[in-house]
Amino acid sequence: TLDIFGKTLIERAIDSMYDYCSKVIVAGGYNIEKLEFLTEKYERLKLIYNEKYKEGMFSTVIKGISHLDSDRAFIIPGDYPLIGKKVYEILLDAKGEIIVPEYKGRPGHPVLLSGKAISLLKASSSRYNSLREFIWDNGHVTAYTDDEGILFDIDTIKDYREIINKLK
């Protein structure tokens, strides 16, 4: 819920993808009630509580995936506020079951999963400890982008300040 020039961090993440999604699923655990305002702001958003959130971020990915009813899905942590809309277009134009954006040799977010990959993740989630492990175990296609925003998340107050400075 950090403010970034009048929008929350998660709103910035949602806004960049919203035009490319028929539904947005926001899954979370601790303090999820602080995100309830999102359901009023975004008509196509569904907020999902992950009761196993203490098991880690991957449990939240699995919880969100369990609510999918489409054959493709972007997976992105809610703390990536700098991803441009062009990234979503590049990913949607790429062919593959698991598509990962890359900027100057570095992979980032969002990841696009398609039919078979979604089914496989749902069926074998207990085999993996992270989305990264699932991706590397099952292979992926790389989609190259010139948008370094795919690399920037906010884990610390230092990260937050750096992103504020990038946006100035």
Side-chain angles (χ1 to χ4, degrees), residues 1-3 6-18 35 37-38 41-42 78 81:
T1 58
L2 286 173
D3 181 78
K7 286 189 178 182
T8 63
L9 172 60
I10 195 160
E11 284 175 293
R12 287 187 171 273
I14 293 167
D15 286 349
S16 66
M17 77 170 73
Y18 200 72
L35 300 179
F37 75 95
L38 294 172
K41 183 167 183 173
Y42 299 97

Side-chain angles (χ1 to χ4, degrees), residues 85-127:
K85 292 182 179 225
K86 183 77 174 159
V87 171
Y88 292 93
E89 293 172 15
I90 290 167
L91 291 171
L92 289 169
D93 286 342
K95 304 286 186 239
E97 293 296 317
I98 302 173
I99 305 168
V100 177
E102 185 176 291
Y103 174 79
K104 293 186 177 180
R106 295 178 60 198
H109 282 284
V111 172
L112 178 60
L113 301 181
S114 294
K116 291 178 187 173
I118 292 170
S119 297
L120 182 61
L121 183 56
K122 285 179 179 180
S124 62
S125 61
S126 61
R127 286 185 43 206

Side-chain angles (χ1 to χ4, degrees), residues 4-165:
I4 301 177
F5 298 111
K7 286 189 178 182
T8 63
L9 172 60
I10 195 160
E11 284 175 293
R12 287 187 171 273
I14 293 167
D15 286 349
S16 66
M17 77 170 73
Y18 200 72
D19 292 341
Y20 304 98
C21 300
S22 58
K23 178 168 57 171
V24 174
I25 297 171
V26 174
Y30 180 74
N31 282 336
I32 195 166
E33 66 279 357
K34 290 184 177 182
L35 300 179
E36 288 177 353
F37 75 95
L38 294 172
T39 60
E40 295 170 10
K41 183 167 183 173
Y42 299 97
E43 183 179 311
R44 299 185 319 266
L45 185 137
K46 184 174 185 178
L47 191 61
I48 304 296
Y49 177 68
N50 175 23
E51 60 282 340
K52 296 180 181 181
Y53 70 90
K54 289 182 181 179
E55 294 178 13
M57 191 179 343
F58 189 57
S59 72
T60 303
V61 170
I62 297 305
K63 184 69 172 194
I65 286 277
S66 73
H67 288 267
L68 280 180
D69 55 11
S70 62
D71 60 348
R72 295 200 301 185
F74 293 113
I75 308 294
I76 178 174
D79 63 351
Y80 277 77
L82 299 181
I83 298 169
K85 292 182 179 225
K86 183 77 174 159
V87 171
Y88 292 93
E89 293 172 15
I90 290 167
L91 291 171
L92 289 169
D93 286 342
K95 304 286 186 239
E97 293 296 317
I98 302 173
I99 305 168
V100 177
E102 185 176 291
Y103 174 79
K104 293 186 177 180
R106 295 178 60 198
H109 282 284
V111 172
L112 178 60
L113 301 181
S114 294
K116 291 178 187 173
I118 292 170
S119 297
L120 182 61
L121 183 56
K122 285 179 179 180
S124 62
S125 61
S126 61
R127 286 185 43 206
Y128 298 102
N129 295 311
S130 69
L131 183 61
R132 176 180 290 143
E133 185 181 323
F134 171 80
I135 290 168
W136 296 120
D137 194 41
N138 291 284
H140 69 280
V141 171
T142 299
Y144 301 97
T145 179
D146 61 359
D147 186 339
E148 68 178 336
I150 69 165
L151 305 176
F152 294 110
D153 64 336
I154 297 179
D155 294 326
T156 66
I157 197 66
K158 181 181 179 229
D159 296 338
Y160 174 69
R161 288 185 185 121
E162 286 177 14
I163 285 177
I164 293 293
N165 287 331

